[in-house]
Amino acid sequence: MPLALTDPKAVQLIDEIIQGEKRLLLGVVKSMGGMEPPEGAVMNTLPHQLYDVGTLGTIVRMLKLGDGSVRVMVQGLERARLKDIAQGEKWLMAEPEPLQENLLEDSRTEALKRTVIAQFSRVIDIAPYLGAELHEVLAGISEAGKLADFIAANLDLALPAKAELLATDDVTHRLERLADFLVQELQVLEVGRRSRKSEDTARPEPARVRAARAAAGHSSGAGRRGGR
């Protein structure tokens, strides 16, 4: 997951992590007053504003820019419950409690895997915010838990939905909920696609195109008359 950090406190945090074990605990900030938090690092969060489950990650790449900002690539390692959240001297501190996935590999789970793969493949095809290269990544994922996490991370879901999926340790149930969200997303995308097509059809032709077509028709008619 790429992060662009401009807050001096966030940049300082990354500096300290890089000098240490390069691992950090990423929390999810709740919506406040009906407004979702801005994307990226939010450094002025209070403990009660975080969801119970986050992600333990490691920094795999960092780039410092001339304006003092930092670009980092964080790789998620495992989902973790945030325990004993407290305000530290500079930022929030918490103990990660790894979540053990509950997975029963049966025909129901396999059917759900195929369903969400087909659904997300369709989303990739028509969603303007996704790149076609995700098809190749999707084809290389076989584990049910990793499949659910990958799709959830790339899907344009509301924050509560993402937090719900993150906190669901039963993989089969996570796939079920993901399939529900994918149905909703596909409905929204299909409506938008049909709307764009209608607008393109209703849009009048530019005068230059109309003139070119008229000229082509005139030439065609003249040719037919000359042939006779």
Side-chain angles (χ1 to χ4, degrees):
M1 176 179 66
L3 290 176
L5 308 176
T6 57
D7 188 317
K9 288 179 64 177
V11 174
Q12 183 183 2
L13 172 62
I14 295 300
D15 282 338
E16 292 194 11
I17 291 173
I18 287 292
Q19 295 172 14
E21 55 184 14
K22 298 184 180 180
R23 303 203 331 164
L24 72 164
L25 183 57
L26 299 170
V28 182
V29 182
K30 298 177 182 177
S31 301
M32 303 298 291
M35 299 290 292
E36 290 196 0
E39 293 186 5
V42 181
M43 300 302 295
N44 56 348
T45 307
L46 299 175
H48 72 275
Q49 295 175 317
L50 295 176
Y51 283 98
D52 294 335
V53 176
T55 303
L56 187 63
T58 183
I59 298 175
V60 295
R61 188 161 59 248
M62 180 184 75
L63 174 65
K64 282 192 174 184
L65 302 180
D67 60 0
S69 64
V70 170
R71 302 290 186 270
V72 294
M73 180 65 70
V74 180
Q75 178 183 352
L77 300 175
E78 56 185 341
R79 294 173 305 120
R81 193 173 302 279
L82 279 61
K83 306 290 290 185
D84 302 324
I85 306 175
Q87 181 64 57
E89 182 179 344
K90 301 176 183 177
W91 37 69
L92 289 180
M93 307 290 290
E95 285 294 329
E97 182 183 273
L99 289 183
Q100 300 299 320
E101 289 194 339
N102 179 15
L103 174 60
L104 178 62
E105 288 281 5
D106 56 9
S107 58
R108 171 65 177 162
T109 303
E110 185 61 32
L112 283 167
K113 284 171 58 179
R114 294 179 183 180
T115 297
V116 299
I117 287 173
Q119 289 173 316
F120 190 57
S121 292
R122 179 59 179 159
V123 171
I124 295 172
D125 288 337
I126 61 178
Y129 59 86
L130 295 178
E133 67 277 1
L134 291 181
H135 279 299
E136 184 176 349
V137 181
L138 182 65
I141 303 174
S142 58
E143 295 182 27
K146 291 183 178 180
L147 175 66
D149 292 342
F150 171 74
I151 294 176
N154 287 282
L155 203 59
D156 187 18
L157 293 175
L159 190 58
K162 283 184 175 288
E164 176 191 340
L165 292 172
L166 188 64
T168 303
D169 56 359
D170 187 296
V171 178
T172 301
H173 181 55
R174 200 186 318 160
L175 288 170
E176 290 174 342
R177 293 296 291 138
L178 185 59
D180 293 339
F181 292 135
L182 281 163
V183 168
Q184 298 172 15
E185 180 67 5
L186 280 170
Q187 290 174 343
V188 172
L189 290 170
E190 289 289 359
V191 169
R193 190 168 68 95
R194 288 195 295 268
S195 177
R196 288 192 297 272
K197 280 189 174 181
S198 298
E199 291 175 0
D200 291 341
T201 302
R203 187 178 296 118
E205 286 184 314
R208 194 167 13 178
V209 174
R210 291 199 300 270
R213 288 189 176 177
H218 179 73
S219 300
S220 176
R224 287 196 297 271
R225 287 193 297 271
R228 290 196 299 270

